[in-house]
Structures are given as structure tokens and as C-alpha cells.
């Protein structure tokens, strides 16, 4: 028998584990008989740990020792967390966040250990391997951190799988006819993605993926809490009071997915004051409208990215507990102009898909190839601080791409390769995943030849290779840990900002490219003119073009500079040819006289 592999959905709010047993993918229930286990970890004063509903129950007594939503901190730096986390986050020596003295990877590992334990207990055998899912929007650092969490839990992580791809498998979309297109709308507790897949020759291609790593059901709970606080003049609550409010808000929200009205009940909440109020589904929908609107914006962007209209899609599937909300279903149906497929349990689909993928990999199910895409473009910084994209956003992985670079100045002995992720034209506006120095023999400007190659493996992890072609010396950098150095803002915001700044960015790129060209041309033209190489009838046109370029440079505007540089380039064509000729004659003469 082939070695079994688990499929694990490591969710922000809940986690689940599955496996292929006797040819069928199944989810494995915990001791409470539930196939879903809360992603909650209690860490006691002397380091003892409890996971799942046992941990949640401790929240009433020791709220400050129960960690939830740890997925939000995975692969992030402490400085990026801000006030975005329910518990106190401290900063470790390496700048990484610590909660109750433990890293997000260690805390996630506790959840994964629990998933492994449930599976081993149910299957009555040891299991060492797993496929773990992550949101499509997770960048390198977050994927690498998830993989390490698996290893800390004693699992060999054979694949990091995008959640929407897993969901598509669970919905059996592989059985659709060729060129069918599907949108997966995944709104869970803490993250949102919209992914568009296309079936091609029996294989899933991801056409586009958009989302927000800080958008989920928790945020709607928080909106509801704010409303309760305002209504009852509670001020901003914290600690145990806030947890009580959040729990009651979440309960009311869930009830309103089924009922038209519910009651918010908080006995003896504020001293001896009790809170009691009615909340209707319509009121919740008013509160939820902007929150749902945020998800719809990502849907529209994904459609635009894939260059599709809603009518081009063959199915829309819903994943994640928050898609149980009727208003969410309604809005998604309206936007995509079709009723979404809700045939799977929205909170089990991802784990089921992960189990199917693990079955494919272990050989327990027939072979099926899955293709994922890069959520953001990857590239390096080049002259003038420009972003040079090597692998564009939405490229199918695994993939490889390379380009040749050279030295910008005479006598330069090394070059710094800055690896960037993002959609902006200027390097400074993208995130730096890491950087390293490549040494080469000093020589004149433009002499060195350094090949830079990006390789992304099936888990979405990036390896960068830089080769000095003169010596064939390779520098290889795996961007596992270095990727943590990303100045990470929300990935969705990155894409949003690139749209927002599209015109400014493009004109800055045009200006920079034209400036670099001008800086090359001006001294060369100056030298040629002072050597008296220009013919009289050329000279005045060249001088006027030079003046134009200088004026445009000073004005800082892109288009006039581009036009002026083109004019100068054109005016000096004949002169440049004569310069080359003269240089060759001089060289020949030197050679002859030297011999
Ligand atoms: P997931 O991350 O997919 O497990 O989704 C968890 C999120 O779904 C949480 O924010 C829950 O509050 C939310 N959720 C679960 N069931 C319901 C429901 N019946 N109605 C509304 N939200 C729900």
C-alpha cells in the first residue's frame, strides 16, 4: 500500500483534516464528532497546550492565554501586525512576532499536531505526510512559514496547495467540459479570495486570483460589536468584555443566516447592567453591505484580470463559513449573473479538496495535475530604480524565467540584486523579498554579464540564481526566510494601489527611462561636438535638440522628455555613425603604428 498523505485545511477560524480511504476522500471527525476543529490554542502558564474547542472553553477563564486567528500573523513581521490582533503581540529578537512567547509557526504547529493526532487516532496508524492549503494570496514568506509549521508538527509537507484550487476539486469541477470556467468565492473567518479557474485538456489553469488577507467573518463580527458598543455607550471594550461581545455578535450573526430576527443577550455585562436588544436580518445586512462590497470589488478586479465577463463563467462556487450569509449569496449571484453552486459544505470544501489532492499524490486516487499561479509579479530592481518584472502576476507555476543584466558604471566590481514582489513600476513601491551581492571582474560600463534566473517550485517557493557568465560563478538564494523582510501591507492593497497609481507610475517609468537615455546621450554628444565632428548643418539642430532635452529634464515631465530624447537621438544618428567609424580608424592606426 502507498504511504498515506493527509489533506489539511489550516484555517484562520477553523481547521479540518481529510484523507482518501478505500478510494474515497473523507474528513476525519475529532472526539466531539465534529469534522471542523476551531483553530484555537490555549497555552498554560507552565507551557501546557490545548487545541480546538477545549482551548475555546478556557477563554471564559483565561482569555489572555487563548490564541485565535494566528494565521493572520504567519510570515509577517511584528511591526506589520499593529493593533490587528486580539492578544498582545511582542517582538522577538529577529523582529518576528511572538504571542505568549511563541512564534506564529509554533502556534500553528500545535493546530497541525492536533490534526495529525485526530487522523492517526481515526485511521489507527502513524501518518507522516501532508498537503496543507493556504489562501491564494499568501506570498512566499507566508507559504514558507506554513511549511515550517508543518515540519514543527512532525509532518513532511509534500505540497502547499492554494485553497481555491482545493475547493474546485471538492466541487468536482474537474468533470466539467474543456474550457469551462469557474469562479471560486471563498469568504472565511479571516481571509477572502476570488479565483477564476479554467479547465484545459482535463487540467485546471488558474486564470486570475484576487483577494485580501485581512477580510473575513471576524470583521463583520467586529462591525456588529462596534454597533453594540455605540448603542449602549460602552466605549471601546477590551479583554474579557470584548471577547464576550465578539462571541455574542458571532452567534447572532450565524442565527440571522437562518432566522429573520434574533436577540443580543449579555446578562450583567456592564457591572449590573444587562444588555438585551433585538437585531433583524435587515439591520445586519445594512451593517454588512460595505463589507460585502469589499469582496465584490476583488471579484470585479479578478474578472478584469482574466479579461472575462460574468457571462463567460460556467459556474460559481462558494467556500468558507461566511458564504452561509444569505446577503452574501444574493450579492454574489447578482454580480456573476447566476446562482452559485452551494452543493458542498462551505466550511469543508477546502479540506475535502486537500484530501483529494493528497490522494492523487499518494496514488490513492487517479493522477490529476493541478496548476497554480503567482499572485503577484516578481522581478528585480534595475537602473534608475525601476522594477524589472521577470515573472508576471498570474503566471502558472512551477515556472522559470531569466534575463541578462550588466554593470551601470565603469570599474564596478559587484551588483546588488534586489528581489521584488509587487505590481508597481518603481522598485521602491514594491516589497523587497531579499537582496544579495553578485561580484564580477571590474571592466568598462556594460561589460559584465550577469544572468538572473527566478525559479518557483510547485509550492510557490522562490529560488533566485545569479550567474557571472565570465566565471560561471553562481549565487543561489532561497527566499524562505528572507521573504519575511517584505514590507508587507495587505496584498489586496498592493494590487489596488497599482491600479490607483497606474498613470503616475507609468509616467515616472517613461521619465526615468528617458532620463537614463539622456544621461547617456548628453555627455557623448558634448564630447563629439567639442571634437568638431559635427557638420555645420547638423550642429544647429543638435544644439537645439540638446537644449530641448535639458529643458525637459528640468521640467520633470515625462512625455516632453521622451520626445526631446527621441529628437536628439535622431539628430545625432549620422554623428554617432561617424564616431564609431573614427574610433575604428583610430584603433587601426594605433595597431599599425604599434606593430
Ligand atoms: P471558515 O474560516 O471557513 O471556517 O469560516 C468561519 C467564518 O464563517 C466565521 O467568521 C463564522 O462566523 C462564519 N460562519 C460560520 N457559519 C456561519 C453562518 N451560518 N452564518 C454566518 N456566518 C457563519
Amino acid at each position: 500500500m502507498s504511504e498515506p498523505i493527509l489533506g489539511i485545511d489550516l484555517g484562520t477560524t477553523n481547521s479540518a483534516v481529510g484523507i482518501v480511504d478505500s478510494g474515497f476522500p473523507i474528513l476525519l471527525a475529532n472526539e466531539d464528532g465534529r469534522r471542523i476543529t476551531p483553530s484555537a490554542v490555549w497555552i498554560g502558564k507552565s507551557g501546557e497546550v490545548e487545541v480546538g474547542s477545549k482551548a475555546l472553553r478556557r477563554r471564559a477563564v483565561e482569555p489572555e492565554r487563548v490564541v485565535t486567528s494566528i494565521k493572520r500573523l504567519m510570515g509577517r513581521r511584528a511591526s506589520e501586525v499593529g493593533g490587528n490582533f486580539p492578544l498582545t503581540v511582542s517582538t522577538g529578537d529577529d523582529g518576528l512576532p511572538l504571542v505568549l512567547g511563541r512564534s506564529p509557526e509554533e502556534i500553528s504547529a500545535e493546530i497541525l499536531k492536533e490534526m495529525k493526532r485526530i487522523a492517526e487516532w481515526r485511521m489507527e496508524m502513524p501518518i507522516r505526510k501532508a498537503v496543507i492549503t493556504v489562501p491564494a494570496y499568501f506570498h512566499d514568506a507566508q507559504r514558507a512559514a506554513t511549511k515550517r509549521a508543518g515540519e514543527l508538527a512532525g509532518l513532511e509537507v509534500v505540497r502547499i496547495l492554494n485553497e481555491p484550487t482545493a475547493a474546485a476539486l471538492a466541487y468536482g469541477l474537474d468533470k466539467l467540459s474543456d474550457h469551462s470556467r469557474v469562479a471560486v468565492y471563498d469568504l472565511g473567518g479571516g481571509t477572502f479570495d476570488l479565483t477564476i479557474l479554467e479547465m484545459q485538456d482535463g487540467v485546471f489553469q488558474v486564470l486570475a486570483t484576487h483577494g485580501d488577507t485581512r477580510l473575513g467573518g471576524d470583521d463583520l463580527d467586529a462591525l456588529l460589536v462596534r454597533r453594540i458598543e455605540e448603542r449602549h455607550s460602552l466605549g471601546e471594550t477590551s479583554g474579557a468584555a470584548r471577547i464576550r461581545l465578539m462571541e455574542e455578535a458571532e452567534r447572532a450573526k450565524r442565527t440571522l443566516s437562518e432566522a429573520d430576527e434574533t436577540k443580543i443577550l449579555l446578562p450583567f455585562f456592564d457591572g449590573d447592567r444587562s444588555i438585551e436588544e433585538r437585531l433583524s436580518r435587515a439591520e445586519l445586512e445594512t451593517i454588512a453591505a460595505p463589507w460585502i462590497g469589499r469582496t465584490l470589488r476583488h471579484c470585479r478586479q479578478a474578472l478584469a484580470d482574466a479579461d472575462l465577463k460574468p457571462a463567460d463563467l460556467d459556474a460559481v462556487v462558494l467556500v468558507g463559513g461566511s458564504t452561509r450569509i444569505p446577503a452574501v449569496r444574493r450579492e454574489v449571484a447578482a454580480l456573476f449573473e447566476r446562482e452559485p453552486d452551494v452543493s458542498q459544505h462551505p466550511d469543508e470544501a477546502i479540506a475535502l479538496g486537500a484530501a483529494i489532492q493528497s490522494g492523487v499524490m499518494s496514488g490513492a486516487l487517479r493522477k490529476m495535475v493541478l496548476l497554480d499561479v503567482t499572485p503577484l509579479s516578481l522581478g528585480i530592481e534595475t537602473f534608475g530604480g525601476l522594477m524589472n518584472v521577470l515573472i508576471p502576476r498570474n503566471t502558472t507555476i512551477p515556472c522559470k524565467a531569466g534575463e541578462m543584466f550588466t554593470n551601470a558604471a565603469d570599474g564596478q566590481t559587484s551588483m546588488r540584486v534586489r528581489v521584488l514582489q509587487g505590481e508597481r513600476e518603481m522598485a521602491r513601491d514594491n516589497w523587497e523579498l531579499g537582496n544579495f551581492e553578485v561580484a564580477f571582474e571590474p571592466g568598462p560600463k556594460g561589460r559584465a554579464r550577469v544572468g538572473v534566473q527566478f525559479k518557483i517550485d510547485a509550492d510557490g517557493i522562490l529560488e533566485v540564481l545569479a550567474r557571472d557568465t565570465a566565471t560561471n560563478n553562481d549565487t543561489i538564494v532561497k527566499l524562505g526566510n528572507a521573504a519575511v523582510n517584505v514590507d508587507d501591507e495587505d496584498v489586496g492593497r498592493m494590487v489596488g494601489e497599482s491600479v490607483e497609481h497606474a498613470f503616475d507610475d507609468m509616467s515616472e517609468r517613461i521619465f526615468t527611462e528617458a532620463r537614463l537615455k539622456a544621461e547617456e546621450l548628453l555627455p557623448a554628444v558634448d564630447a563629439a561636438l567639442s571634437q568638431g565632428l559635427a557638420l555645420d548643418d547638423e550642429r544647429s539642430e543638435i544644439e537645439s535638440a540638446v537644449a530641448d532635452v535639458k529643458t525637459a529634464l528640468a521640467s520633470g515631465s515625462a512625455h516632453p522628455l521622451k520626445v526631446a530624447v527621441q529628437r536628439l537621438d535622431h539628430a545625432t544618428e549620422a554623428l554617432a555613425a561617424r564616431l564609431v567609424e573614427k574610433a575604428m580608424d583610430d584603433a587601426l592606426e594605433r595597431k599599425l603604428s604599434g606593430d
Side-chain angles (χ1 to χ4, degrees):
M1 203 187 91
S2 56
E3 191 177 344
I5 305 177
L6 297 177
I8 302 178
D9 169 11
L10 179 61
T12 308
T13 323
N14 294 302
S15 294
V17 58
I19 198 166
V20 171
D21 189 23
S22 313
F24 292 98
I26 53 162
L27 296 195
L28 301 165
N30 59 26
E31 279 89 344
D32 300 335
R34 294 181 187 275
R35 294 190 291 266
I36 299 281
T37 299
S39 302
V41 180
W42 169 79
I43 301 172
K45 286 203 178 65
S46 28
E48 60 285 37
V49 167
E50 284 200 296
V51 176
S53 45
K54 284 196 236 79
L56 280 187
R57 276 197 292 273
R58 299 223 181 222
R59 198 133 82 154
V61 192
E62 283 187 302
E64 71 292 348
R65 303 208 70 88
V66 180
V67 189
T68 52
S69 297
I70 192 66
K71 187 169 175 178
R72 291 192 175 213
L73 303 194
M74 289 291 273
R76 291 177 184 276
R77 299 187 68 77
S79 54
E80 296 164 1
V81 177
N84 238 308
F85 199 70
L87 296 187
T88 309
V89 179
S90 59
T91 307
D93 295 339
D94 45 9
L96 298 180
L98 290 176
V99 180
L100 297 172
R102 301 203 187 196
S103 71
E105 289 162 33
E106 287 169 327
I107 296 169
S108 295
E110 294 298 340
I111 302 168
L112 291 169
K113 265 187 223 166
E114 177 69 1
M115 296 294 112
K116 179 174 187 278
R117 189 194 64 73
I118 293 169
E120 291 179 331
W121 168 65
R122 285 280 174 202
M123 300 302 292
E124 298 180 341
M125 63 177 167
I127 304 176
R128 297 182 307 123
K129 293 185 175 179
V131 167
I132 304 178
T133 59
V134 295
Y137 255 67
F138 260 26
H139 55 61
D140 265 8
Q142 294 170 301
R143 285 166 195 268
T146 304
K147 201 166 181 173
R148 277 196 301 276
E151 285 155 9
L152 286 174
L155 288 164
E156 181 191 334
V157 182
V158 294
R159 175 68 60 92
I160 294 286
L161 182 68
N162 275 352
E163 288 164 7
T165 312
L169 277 180
Y171 273 93
L173 300 179
D174 49 313
K175 293 175 193 69
L176 285 176
S177 58
D178 217 27
H179 298 297
S180 297
R181 294 179 189 123
V182 179
V184 180
Y185 177 101
D186 179 354
L187 184 57
T191 61
F192 171 70
D193 324 16
L194 188 284
T195 301
I196 300 175
L197 304 163
E198 187 179 72
M199 206 52 190
Q200 288 174 13
D201 301 324
V203 166
F204 282 123
Q205 295 273 8
V206 181
L207 294 186
T209 176
H210 246 278
D212 189 333
T213 52
R214 294 202 180 151
L215 179 60
D218 297 352
D219 300 300
L220 181 55
D221 302 346
L223 290 173
L224 200 47
V225 164
R226 196 178 312 152
R227 190 193 112 113
I228 303 169
E229 285 167 348
E230 281 167 8
R231 273 271 172 98
H232 299 273
S233 311
L234 297 174
E236 207 174 312
T237 52
S238 61
R242 179 160 183 92
I243 288 168
R244 252 188 96 190
L245 267 177
M246 285 292 272
E247 281 175 356
E248 182 58 7
E250 206 241 1
R251 190 206 53 74
K253 172 188 78 174
R254 282 176 187 251
T255 308
L256 290 175
S257 292
E258 311 295 327
D260 285 335
E261 198 176 271
T262 186
K263 246 186 192 172
I264 292 183
L265 280 177
L266 291 155
F268 308 111
F269 182 77
D270 193 12
D272 52 5
R273 190 155 71 115
S274 297
I275 291 176
E276 183 177 338
E277 74 167 283
R278 284 182 198 288
L279 181 71
S280 69
R281 184 188 283 181
E283 283 169 287
L284 178 67
E285 288 183 355
T286 309
I287 296 170
W291 172 75
I292 299 176
R294 285 173 67 194
T295 72
L296 299 182
R297 276 202 289 282
H298 290 292
C299 298
R300 288 191 201 98
Q301 267 183 329
L303 280 170
D305 266 8
D307 201 16
L308 293 176
K309 294 186 292 299
D312 299 326
L313 297 172
D314 297 278
V316 175
V317 303
L318 299 183
V319 187
S322 301
T323 63
R324 288 208 162 89
I325 298 174
V328 169
R329 295 186 173 188
R330 225 172 38 232
E331 296 290 330
V332 173
L335 188 130
F336 288 101
E337 299 165 12
R338 75 188 56 245
E339 281 309 313
D341 183 342
V342 291
S343 61
Q344 296 295 317
H345 283 297
D347 27 36
E348 293 184 2
I350 289 169
L352 199 66
I356 294 171
Q357 174 65 23
S358 73
V360 169
M361 297 184 78
S362 71
L365 279 180
R366 78 186 160 81
K367 196 159 172 48
M368 194 178 342
V369 188
L370 291 179
L371 298 174
D372 283 337
V373 297
T374 51
L376 289 173
S377 302
L378 294 159
I380 71 171
E381 175 174 343
T382 55
F383 304 147
L386 291 171
M387 164 79 161
N388 184 313
V389 172
L390 290 181
I391 299 180
R393 171 176 155 68
N394 282 334
T395 300
T396 304
I397 60 168
C399 61
K400 222 163 48 172
E403 221 172 277
M404 208 55 96
F405 294 90
T406 188
N407 54 327
D410 290 336
Q412 196 178 331
T413 54
S414 70
M415 159 178 140
R416 179 155 294 276
V417 176
R418 290 183 62 210
V419 181
L420 304 171
Q421 184 176 39
E423 304 310 311
R424 304 290 300 277
E425 296 288 345
M426 303 306 293
R428 59 161 194 266
D429 296 321
N430 291 307
W431 305 334
E432 183 172 323
L433 293 183
N435 69 73
F436 58 94
E437 199 85 13
V438 187
F440 42 74
E441 290 291 306
K445 174 181 171 185
R447 166 73 64 81
R449 289 271 175 273
V450 177
V452 176
Q453 186 189 65
F454 281 19
K455 196 165 91 184
I456 305 181
D457 68 15
D459 294 333
I461 289 171
L462 172 66
E463 183 187 282
V464 180
L465 174 149
R467 172 173 299 168
D468 174 4
T469 53
T471 57
N472 270 349
N473 277 345
D474 284 348
T475 312
I476 298 178
V477 177
K478 265 217 176 222
L479 286 166
N481 259 325
V484 179
N485 292 331
V486 182
D487 173 23
D488 180 36
E489 300 194 25
D490 178 52
V491 180
R493 245 175 65 201
M494 160 62 77
V495 177
E497 279 171 8
S498 76
V499 175
E500 200 178 307
H501 298 285
F503 290 106
D504 291 347
D505 273 14
M506 195 38 80
S507 72
E508 192 164 358
R509 171 178 281 275
I510 291 169
F511 183 81
T512 307
E513 283 172 353
R515 177 175 59 77
L516 290 170
K517 178 91 184 161
E519 282 167 2
E520 210 179 290
L521 275 176
L522 288 176
V525 171
D526 237 20
L529 290 182
S530 61
Q531 284 177 44
L533 284 170
L535 305 177
D536 282 346
D537 53 346
E538 281 172 346
R539 198 175 183 98
S540 62
E541 167 63 8
I542 294 176
E543 279 170 352
S544 136
V546 164
D548 250 19
V549 168
K550 288 183 176 162
T551 315
L553 266 177
S555 81
S557 32
H559 193 66
L561 182 62
K562 189 178 170 180
V563 172
V565 168
Q566 276 168 349
R567 177 178 165 207
L568 180 60
D569 205 20
H570 186 68
T572 54
E573 253 170 22
L575 177 65
R578 277 201 303 284
L579 265 178
V580 172
E581 227 167 81
K582 183 171 182 307
M584 281 167 71
D585 285 349
D586 288 352
L588 195 63
E589 211 165 283
R590 268 202 308 279
K591 195 156 188 252
L592 289 176
S593 61
D595 280 348

